[in-house]
Amino acid sequence: MTTCSAALKAWAEENKEAPEDAKVVKLYAQMPPITKLDNKLNDLKNAVHLSLSTNTIDRINVALALPKLRILSLGRNNIKKIDKLEGCAGTLEELWVSYNAITSLDGVDGLSKLTTLYISNNKLHDWEELNKIAGLVELKDVLFVGNPFYDGLTAEQQRVEVLKRLPQLAKIDGVMVTPAERAEASGTVEE
C-alpha cells in the first residue's frame, strides 16, 4: 500500500518540482496502489488538476480543501460515495469518477461550478438520483453508461430520461444532445 504522502514524495523526485507548487499532480496507477487519502493532499494549494485514478481508494476520507482545483479524477478505484468535496465546491468544474462503486449522487449537488460529471460504470440504480443534481446549472456534459438505471432502455430512451431530469445538458454519454431529443424530453415531462 502506498500513502498519499509517499506518492507525493516520489512524484516530487520524478518531476523535480515541489507538489505544493504544481498545477497538475497525477498520482494514478501507483504501485503499490494508494488505498486511502490523507491530509498531505491539502498541501496541493496550487493544484488545478489532481488525478488519483487507478488505485484502490475506497472512500474520500479527507475533506479536500484545494482552493484552485478544477479537475478531480478518481476513476477506477473502489469509491462508494462522493463526499468531503466542500473545500473545492466553488472551483471544481470536472469530476471524473467512472468505474467505482458509487450508489448515490449525494455530495455532488454542492459543486456549483461543475460542468462535467463522468460517473459511468458505477452502481446508480435509481433515476431519482439525477434529481439531486438538477440544480447544477453549469452542468453540460455527463457520462452515465454502465449504471443499472439504464438497464432495459434503448440508448434513445436513456438519453430522453436523462434530459427530462437534467435539461441543461449539452452532451450525454459522449454524444451531443439533439434538438429532437430536447423537444421529446420537454414534451413528455409531466407537469
Side-chain angles (χ1 to χ4, degrees):
M1 128 174 143
T2 298
T3 64
C4 291
S5 299
L8 285 168
K9 185 177 179 194
W11 184 93
E13 290 169 7
E14 183 179 322
N15 291 278
K16 312 273 187 272
E17 181 179 11
E20 306 78 56
D21 300 332
K23 289 189 180 341
V24 177
V25 178
K26 295 183 177 181
L27 303 174
Y28 56 83
Q30 295 293 298
M31 284 299 176
I34 296 171
T35 55
K36 62 182 240 170
L37 305 181
D38 63 48
N39 275 320
K40 192 72 177 157
L41 290 175
N42 284 324
D43 291 348
L44 305 175
K45 297 294 184 202
N46 289 303
V48 174
H49 181 168
L50 175 59
S51 176
L52 294 157
S53 293
T54 315
N55 282 290
T56 57
I57 300 162
D58 65 352
R59 66 185 198 272
I60 304 170
N61 59 319
V62 171
L64 292 178
L66 301 170
K68 297 181 180 176
L69 194 65
R70 291 195 346 250
I71 301 170
L72 178 59
S73 176
L74 288 163
R76 297 186 185 278
N77 277 287
N78 301 318
I79 296 169
K80 293 168 188 64
K81 69 180 197 172
I82 300 166
D83 59 353
K84 302 196 177 176
L85 296 180
E86 298 83 3
C88 46
T91 59
L92 196 64
E93 296 172 6
E94 299 186 24
L95 181 60
W96 306 345
V97 289
S98 293
Y99 295 94
N100 275 289
I102 297 166
T103 58
S104 165
L105 290 176
D106 290 344
V108 179
D109 58 336
L111 305 175
S112 60
K113 299 287 186 200
L114 202 65
T115 62
T116 304
L117 176 62
Y118 293 160
I119 191 165
S120 69
N121 298 288
N122 273 280
K123 298 184 184 302
L124 296 173
H125 288 274
D126 194 341
W127 282 102
E128 295 302 310
E129 289 299 317
L130 300 191
N131 296 337
K132 295 175 181 176
I133 59 172
L136 298 177
V137 295
E138 304 285 327
L139 189 62
K140 301 296 181 219
D141 183 4
V142 296
L143 204 54
F144 291 129
V145 170
N147 278 288
F149 63 67
Y150 269 8
D151 292 352
L153 299 177
T154 65
E156 295 79 19
Q157 291 169 325
Q158 294 164 358
R159 293 172 61 78
V160 169
E161 287 301 314
V162 170
L163 272 175
K164 284 180 185 178
R165 293 159 177 84
L166 304 171
Q168 75 274 30
L169 296 178
K171 191 189 252 185
I172 300 170
D173 299 331
V175 179
M176 296 303 289
V177 172
T178 66
E181 289 170 327
R182 199 171 296 288
E184 184 178 346
S186 65
T188 56
V189 173
E190 296 171 7
E191 300 296 342

